[in-house]
Amino acid sequence: MSSLMEAFNAKALDLGVPLSAHLDVTYRCNERCVHCYLDHDDHGEMTFAEIKDVLDQLADAGVFFLTLSGGEVLMRMDFMDILKYARRLRFAVKVKTNGFMIRDKHAALFHRLGVQTVQISIYSHRPEVHDAITKLPGSLKRSIAAIRLLKSHGVAVIIANVLMRPNFNDYTSVKELGKSLGVPVVTDPTITPKMDGDRSLLGLGIHGPQLGAAFHDTELVGNVDEFCAVPSPADESVLDGIACSAGHTYCYISPYGDVYPCVQFPMPCGNVRSQKFLDIWRNSAQMNEVRSIRTRDLPTCSACTHAGTCTRCPGLAFMEGNMRGPSSLDCEKSFARTGIPSANMINRQSLPVAVAIAGSARGSVSGLVQISAARN
């Protein structure tokens, strides 16, 4: 992050400004990805008028960065009107889409409106793998065509590659595909439970030797010696720090108007159909509870050697049963990186399994690509 952006974020945090917001305009989708955490039925999504009102409120609250996503955004016939209105309010807009429905008119308008980036998910370079994940025949071909079309109009595109068991062997080729298309690829091994708490999707995630191999691959993590460095005890700045931007400078709004700290933190804090956004942001008991938590308040994690380097997600911890507790998925990631078990793993007496994974991780190929959050 640049020093300017760091200062920007620090000022927003100090003033309690929601600098960034993620708005899902619909949960409807033409794909049925095997790992998707959403219910794709329409239970009464906000109208265009309601979304305009929400965007007005977000602008008044100080939101600058806006992500528009779904579902598939173009399942809404009025999505381009939503996008036009968002840009009229001067939001810096990112769009997440599967690209299947993008045509020349969409690409041209994305460029004319100055959309910051368009993110498109590619799960494999092989149609038989990608299309099996999306359950939509021809989806890989259409998504790649969309990337080329957007690029031809001068639109910045990012490929999101969610890493899981069905496509684990293809991430290197997806990166090569990205290079051939002239777009960056971000890879993320995080599979999350469904919004309703159903954890069955976690079986699709990579674990053990696979996760260890990925975290020691230079094609994914960069400098392995730095990325996998032995963790050091948390200092006071870490203990007094916040877990992430969720509820501090960032929030998520569902197609039904529900406000959450983050798209990965499904704790309802209010609804913009019955409350003003700023009232929810400033006065929600749930949001303020999230804001009150510091690393030193976490019974297990505050005493863990990984506290200063862990990617612990409070939303994943919440879905596991306690937002002040560990996120087992992140504990596993920390262990896969370093071979050192977390306090949570030791407490749960999973050390023998951990040691077995560590041995596999240390024996994997050394090397380095950025692993970044890339949901959708």
Side-chain angles (χ1 to χ4, degrees):
M1 185 185 296
S2 69
S3 57
L4 178 60
M5 279 306 303
E6 288 176 352
F8 202 20
N9 277 279
K11 190 66 174 178
L13 181 63
D14 183 55
L15 296 175
V17 173
L19 186 61
S20 304
H22 178 140
L23 171 63
D24 277 349
V25 297
T26 184
Y27 283 162
R28 290 175 288 140
C29 193
N30 50 353
E31 296 183 339
R32 288 294 183 271
C33 296
V34 296
H35 63 293
C36 187
Y37 52 92
L38 298 175
D39 171 4
H40 294 301
D41 292 331
D42 181 2
H43 299 288
E45 61 197 29
M46 289 186 286
T47 65
F48 178 52
E50 287 178 309
I51 287 181
K52 285 178 63 180
D53 181 56
V54 170
L55 292 176
D56 285 335
Q57 292 186 53
L58 292 177
D60 289 342
V63 171
F64 181 74
F65 299 104
L66 177 69
T67 298
L68 296 175
S69 184
E72 168 49 45
V73 292
L74 289 174
M75 293 295 285
R76 282 193 70 126
M77 299 299 290
D78 58 1
F79 175 70
M80 300 310 286
D81 292 323
I82 293 171
L83 179 59
K84 290 176 186 176
Y85 194 75
R87 287 297 292 135
R88 193 177 307 157
L89 293 173
R90 304 292 186 180
F91 291 113
V93 178
K94 297 180 181 180
V95 175
K96 294 187 178 184
T97 171
N98 57 42
F100 193 92
M101 301 170 69
I102 288 180
R103 299 294 181 268
D104 191 76
K105 63 179 181 180
H106 302 113
L109 190 57
F110 283 162
H111 173 70
R112 182 167 67 82
L113 292 175
V115 171
Q116 187 176 2
T117 57
V118 175
Q119 178 179 298
I120 294 179
S121 293
I122 300 292
Y123 301 108
S124 171
H125 64 296
R126 296 182 289 163
E128 64 270 24
V129 176
H130 177 96
D131 294 2
I133 289 172
T134 66
K135 299 184 181 179
L136 181 62
S139 56
L140 177 61
K141 180 179 180 181
R142 293 283 285 270
S143 293
I144 291 176
I147 293 171
R148 290 195 171 106
L149 184 59
L150 289 163
K151 287 280 292 179
S152 72
H153 281 274
V155 179
V157 181
I158 295 174
I159 288 177
N161 178 226
V162 178
L163 195 59
M164 51 190 143
R165 289 171 59 193
N167 68 345
F168 177 73
N169 293 319
D170 293 351
Y171 65 79
T172 300
S173 295
V174 171
K175 287 199 66 68
E176 289 302 316
L177 174 63
K179 289 179 184 177
S180 71
L181 294 170
V183 300
V185 177
V186 292
T187 303
D188 183 9
T190 304
I191 302 295
T192 62
K194 291 185 178 181
M195 292 285 279
D196 63 5
D198 181 350
R199 300 178 67 80
S200 60
L201 296 180
L202 298 182
L204 292 167
I206 60 170
H207 302 281
Q210 282 188 323
L211 188 61
F215 276 13
H216 287 73
D217 186 342
T218 56
E219 287 297 311
L220 287 179
V221 303
N223 188 318
V224 171
D225 290 337
E226 291 182 3
F227 185 74
C228 299
V230 174
S232 57
D235 58 23
E236 291 300 307
S237 64
V238 170
L239 293 174
D240 290 330
I242 59 175
C244 66
S245 61
H248 293 274
T249 58
Y250 171 91
C251 67
Y252 165 67
I253 303 176
S254 81
Y256 312 120
D258 296 307
V259 179
Y260 303 92
C262 174
V263 68
Q264 254 181 208
F265 200 153
M267 180 176 70
C269 299
N271 189 289
V272 293
R273 281 175 155 165
S274 57
Q275 301 165 268
K276 292 298 184 182
F277 171 76
L278 262 180
D279 180 49
I280 298 170
W281 177 257
R282 291 173 176 169
N283 302 316
S284 162
Q286 295 87 350
M287 199 76 80
N288 283 320
E289 182 181 7
V290 170
R291 293 189 188 115
S292 72
I293 300 173
R294 296 294 182 268
T295 300
R296 68 171 66 254
D297 300 323
L298 309 176
T300 301
C301 300
S302 61
C304 182
T305 56
H306 292 274
T309 57
C310 179
T311 59
R312 176 188 175 274
C313 171
L316 292 178
F318 172 78
M319 284 191 274
E320 199 169 319
N322 180 7
M323 65 179 171
R324 286 180 171 79
S327 160
S328 295
L329 292 174
D330 289 306
C331 290
E332 185 179 7
K333 289 179 190 176
S334 289
F335 181 76
R337 285 193 301 109
T338 66
I340 298 174
S342 68
N344 178 45
M345 297 177 76
I346 295 172
N347 290 347
R348 295 175 64 174
Q349 298 181 332
S350 53
L351 186 57
V353 175
V355 170
I357 299 171
S360 173
R362 283 192 293 269
S364 64
V365 177
S366 232
L368 205 154
V369 187
Q370 267 179 320
I371 292 187
S372 303
R375 295 195 67 172
N376 278 354

